[in-house]
Amino acid sequence: MGGSGSKSRGLWSFAGSGIGSDPASGGNEQTLSRLGASRSCTPFVFTRRSSLYYDEDGDLAHEFYEETIVTKNGRKRAKLKKIQKNLIPQGMVKLDHPRIHVDFPVVLCEV
């Protein structure tokens, strides 16, 4: 369920290595403010990729199953077969409340 961080560094202006790239900078706060002054980038995420799919009938769900009748030894049994073809992803979904990006390098709460 995790692993939603960006794999490549430098994708976000606030995602720096923070390992002495500039000796004049005293820490992440100064690096963040220096980058924030030159670029207009927000640490908030407003959309996400949906995990839902549309089927041929226009129904929206995570998974689709089809009931099939299997005859074995003269007995009829109903089995569910997962449908994986002809599914269209829902795409990008707008979030109700903005979230903070996972690569944002500032500690929000210290215990």
Side-chain angles (χ1 to χ4, degrees):
M1 285 291 172
S4 61
S6 63
K7 301 287 187 227
S8 64
R9 291 311 228 176
L11 182 63
W12 302 94
S13 64
F14 51 77
S17 64
I19 305 173
S21 60
D22 186 12
S25 67
N28 283 341
E29 295 86 19
Q30 282 119 1
T31 306
L32 181 64
S33 65
R34 189 180 76 241
L35 287 173
S38 64
R39 298 180 190 168
S40 60
C41 183
T42 177
F44 298 108
V45 177
F46 298 100
T47 59
R48 68 170 177 85
R49 190 175 324 141
S50 176
S51 60
L52 298 173
Y53 294 91
Y54 289 106
D55 69 344
E56 298 163 337
D57 300 330
D59 296 328
L60 184 66
H62 287 281
E63 297 175 333
F64 290 95
Y65 291 92
E66 177 183 31
E67 187 177 8
T68 58
I69 304 296
V70 178
T71 305
K72 187 174 182 181
N73 295 336
R75 287 182 54 200
K76 289 185 179 178
R77 271 186 71 191
K79 290 187 108 177
L80 294 177
K81 180 182 172 186
K82 188 173 183 179
I83 299 175
Q84 296 179 340
K85 294 182 181 178
N86 299 328
L87 298 179
I88 303 166
Q90 186 181 14
M92 297 301 286
V93 177
K94 187 176 183 290
L95 295 171
D96 294 333
H97 306 286
R99 310 296 204 274
I100 294 179
H101 194 273
V102 70
D103 286 340
F104 193 63
V106 175
V107 176
L108 297 177
C109 178
E110 271 189 50
V111 179

